[in-house]
Amino acid sequence: IMSSSFLARRTRSSETLDSWTSRSRRNNNADKFEQNAGQKIRGSHPNLRAISMRHIPFYVWWFLVSMYCCGMYLSMDHFRAPMEKKNVRNSSLPRQKEVERIKPLAMTKKSAPKNTTFSPQRILSDHLDGSGNEIIHVIQTRFMQGQPDLLELGLARLALFEAFCVPSMLSQTNENFIWIIRTDPHLHPVILSKMMDLIEGKNNFLLIGSNHNPEGFGRPDNGSFDQFLRIESNVTDSRGIVWSGNATMLEEAYNKSAGGGILLETRLDGDDGLHRDFIKTLQKDAKKHLANQNDEANAWRVWCVHSNIEWHPFNPYPETPEILASIEQNHGAVFDAGFLVLFSDNGICVTPGLTFGYGNGASRSSIGDRLRHDQIMKEMRSCDEVAIESKKNNGVVGCRKRLTSLVPGAVRTRTTTSAGMNNVFTGDNNTDKTIGLKKYTSNKKLIKQFFEQDKMWKGLSLYFSISKNSANDARWLILDRLQEIAADNLRGQCTPG
């Protein structure tokens, strides 16, 4: 830093006379101000000399300028930090230390099933009419079963559970159902605590610690309620762990199902979601065809959604010139919340929304051999075909039906958290260009969807209550911890298909 006198000499040699004269006037005024200030100071403090900017030593200038620069740097860094993506974590920070900053839930003692004063009739009143045609509708969700120690994978799946699954269940237009979420009894307390917060206050949403997944809720081949709740033998609580929800209501519904009526069991993965009218539409169709059934051996029916939306954190669309130009023009900012693709595959029943329904006296064994969701369309007869043969509009059973009135009927997330890697993109162009949708460069309908993302997001918000902000949060978490999540998934239950 140069001294004031040196700067003054350089200035005089380079400036015109007029500019320097003007500068001199300003300096004279400054001197008068300093003199007046000095007089005021001496008036109250006789021993102090008049303060003049020109009399400040060089090292004081150096100290003041240094402090000013440091203060500006720190203030800029302080205001810049909130502008960063709030969910992008420092990858150099070990996740275990990051999680430890969150206050964990006390898990030293497992809790027994809750018995609250909540009345089961509040949820089931519309269907418990004593006619024998009551509907018990159970949604079954599995979350991190047998994988309690895979923290990276668990946190990523928790983000998807919060962004996609929970909002769609909270927005159902018909609340006459029970949602059972089964997770590992030893799930990490941070994840467990957050899951309990997400479904707090919903008595028909039950979070159960169990790696057991029974079918046929309450039907004769399903056993007692204690068996339904059972968990591993190394856990002392023989009735299982009910962390959240009303266990009394669950037991009453279980016993009602065992006594007859209509039972619906729907499958929903923790990273998927259902159309807001899914419960209402399904129960209406079930009552039409499964009520008052005399053919007990054949009184069953299977439903699956007709179409679904897939959510991808990476671009799944083919890299055509117009798509690449659009991404470059928008700098990718338009797609911060991810990419949506609408599917309608008549050859498969997708997992979210896959429902098995049983009339009075029927159970899971009535259907016969267990089929994978990709075998149902091939091995089961269509209900439309059966209706034509039987010349009936009601009471059509022993068949499978697609819910064509819900478009789309479900949303599926396709990420490195998925158990099956089919149509999951990695972000590596050399790998991704040979799989999935990337190959369909001449499919005009598919390419058109790329340019209708805003319209699809509005539909996702309207019919699933899923917001772009929540999807954006989940996406950035997955992108930030991609390698760690993938490594956990390889140690877990990841499969090629």
Side-chain angles (χ1 to χ4, degrees):
I1 301 175
M2 294 178 288
S3 65
S4 300
S5 59
F6 178 74
L7 286 173
R9 289 196 297 272
R10 291 296 304 270
T11 304
R12 292 190 187 97
S13 63
S14 60
E15 294 181 335
T16 62
L17 180 61
D18 292 339
S19 63
W20 171 243
T21 303
S22 175
R23 179 182 293 258
S24 298
R25 292 195 191 100
R26 291 195 298 270
N27 288 340
N28 290 335
N29 292 334
D31 291 342
K32 291 179 180 179
F33 173 80
E34 293 170 2
Q35 291 174 3
N36 293 334
Q39 290 173 359
K40 292 181 179 180
I41 294 175
R42 285 196 301 270
S44 57
H45 301 280
N47 295 328
L48 294 177
R49 297 175 56 190
I51 298 176
S52 173
M53 299 294 290
R54 290 176 299 179
H55 295 160
I56 296 177
F58 168 76
Y59 64 87
V60 176
W61 271 109
W62 180 85
F63 175 77
L64 292 174
V65 172
S66 299
M67 293 298 295
Y68 174 79
C69 293
C70 291
M72 289 296 296
Y73 175 79
L74 292 174
S75 62
M76 290 176 63
D77 185 67
H78 171 75
F79 287 108
R80 182 171 59 244
M83 301 300 294
E84 302 292 340
K85 294 291 182 183
K86 61 181 179 180
N87 283 298
V88 178
R89 292 174 169 81
N90 183 358
S91 58
S92 63
L93 177 66
R95 177 53 59 92
Q96 187 63 39
K97 291 183 179 179
E98 183 178 346
V99 171
E100 287 173 357
R101 294 203 306 264
I102 307 173
K103 184 179 180 180
L105 180 71
M107 295 295 294
T108 56
K109 183 178 180 180
K110 303 298 183 180
S111 58
K114 298 179 181 179
N115 293 299
T116 68
T117 57
F118 176 81
S119 171
Q121 300 295 326
R122 183 177 177 183
I123 293 296
L124 307 174
S125 58
D126 290 349
H127 300 302
L128 300 182
D129 53 13
S131 64
N133 294 319
E134 297 92 351
I135 294 180
I136 304 296
H137 193 170
V138 179
I139 317 295
Q140 301 271 15
T141 295
R142 306 174 185 179
F143 186 89
M144 295 298 291
Q145 288 182 311
Q147 308 169 91
D149 300 324
L150 303 180
L151 188 57
E152 292 284 355
L153 181 62
L155 290 171
R157 285 182 175 174
L158 176 64
L160 296 174
F161 180 74
E162 180 179 5
F164 293 91
C165 193
V166 174
S168 75
M169 297 305 292
L170 290 173
S171 66
Q172 290 297 314
T173 53
N174 184 338
E175 295 184 351
N176 295 291
F177 66 93
I178 297 172
W179 186 20
I180 300 175
I181 308 161
R182 291 178 177 266
T183 186
D184 194 284
H186 305 288
L187 185 68
H188 194 285
V190 169
I191 301 176
L192 178 60
S193 177
K194 179 63 175 179
M195 293 184 72
M196 293 174 66
D197 289 342
L198 291 174
I199 61 175
E200 184 179 7
K202 300 295 291 184
N203 290 280
N204 58 321
F205 292 6
L206 291 104
L207 182 60
I208 298 177
S210 173
N211 289 326
H212 177 59
N213 298 293
E215 294 179 315
F217 182 79
R219 291 303 153 111
D221 53 355
N222 195 225
S224 66
F225 182 67
D226 284 354
Q227 291 175 314
F228 174 79
L229 283 183
R230 76 177 184 268
I231 56 176
E232 288 61 44
S233 58
N234 62 338
V235 179
T236 57
D237 191 345
S238 60
R239 293 202 74 197
I241 305 170
V242 179
W243 279 306
S244 182
N246 190 305
T248 302
M249 181 200 68
L250 182 65
E251 184 171 11
E252 182 167 332
Y254 187 90
N255 294 331
K256 286 282 185 182
S257 176
I262 299 172
L263 170 64
L264 302 176
E265 285 189 298
T266 297
R267 182 174 173 180
L268 176 65
D269 288 346
D271 55 357
D272 298 335
L274 296 173
H275 190 289
R276 64 197 299 265
D277 290 328
F278 177 85
I279 302 292
K280 180 176 71 174
T281 302
L282 187 64
Q283 291 186 8
K284 180 180 179 180
D285 197 59
K287 202 158 191 176
K288 178 180 178 181
H289 294 285
L290 294 179
N292 302 313
Q293 276 293 332
N294 296 321
D295 184 9
E296 293 185 0
N298 206 36
W300 58 268
R301 191 175 169 99
V302 176
W303 292 266
C304 56
V305 299
H306 178 65
S307 62
N308 67 96
I309 280 185
E310 284 190 358
W311 177 82
H312 295 262
F314 293 105
N315 179 17
Y317 288 93
E319 295 183 347
T320 62
E322 58 267 42
I323 287 179
L324 291 176
S326 176
I327 294 176
E328 183 178 358
Q329 180 180 0
N330 294 285
H331 305 289
V334 177
F335 310 104
D336 279 350
F339 300 81
L340 302 177
V341 184
L342 178 63
F343 276 95
S344 181
D345 190 347
N346 292 324
I348 190 172
C349 274
V350 295
T351 302
L354 177 58
T355 302
F356 292 82
Y358 313 102
N360 189 22
S363 63
R364 182 65 185 84
S365 60
S366 303
I367 299 178
D369 294 338
R370 283 166 169 74
L371 300 174
R372 298 193 311 268
H373 66 93
D374 59 339
Q375 295 176 320
I376 292 174
M377 294 300 296
K378 298 177 182 179
E379 302 295 333
M380 289 184 178
R381 297 187 65 191
S382 166
C383 289
D384 295 336
E385 295 176 0
V386 175
I388 294 173
E389 286 185 7
S390 61
K391 297 180 180 181
K392 295 192 302 184
N393 292 324
N394 298 341
V396 180
V397 294
C399 55
R400 42 97 178 152
K401 174 69 175 178
R402 297 176 73 88
L403 298 173
T404 55
S405 62
L406 302 178
V407 179
V411 57
R412 303 175 68 205
T413 63
R414 307 300 298 143
T415 75
T416 49
T417 65
S418 303
M421 290 293 105
N422 184 37
N423 209 31
V424 171
F425 296 90
T426 65
D428 180 78
N429 290 332
N430 292 329
T431 301
D432 293 344
K433 67 182 180 182
T434 61
I435 62 174
L437 303 176
K438 293 282 189 182
K439 299 180 292 185
Y440 300 104
T441 56
S442 59
N443 190 318
K444 294 182 179 180
K445 290 184 178 180
L446 176 62
I447 295 173
K448 183 181 178 182
Q449 287 191 34
F450 176 86
F451 296 96
E452 294 180 340
Q453 293 293 295
D454 286 341
K455 181 179 179 181
M456 296 171 73
W457 275 110
K458 290 178 181 178
L460 206 63
S461 174
L462 178 63
Y463 297 118
F464 296 85
S465 297
I466 296 171
S467 70
K468 291 184 72 173
N469 288 337
S470 59
N472 181 35
D473 292 344
R475 178 174 183 258
W476 281 105
L477 185 148
I478 291 173
L479 296 185
D480 183 52
R481 309 293 298 183
L482 187 64
Q483 293 184 357
E484 292 83 358
I485 294 168
D488 263 7
N489 208 358
L490 282 173
R491 290 190 290 270
Q493 300 170 356
C494 178
T495 59

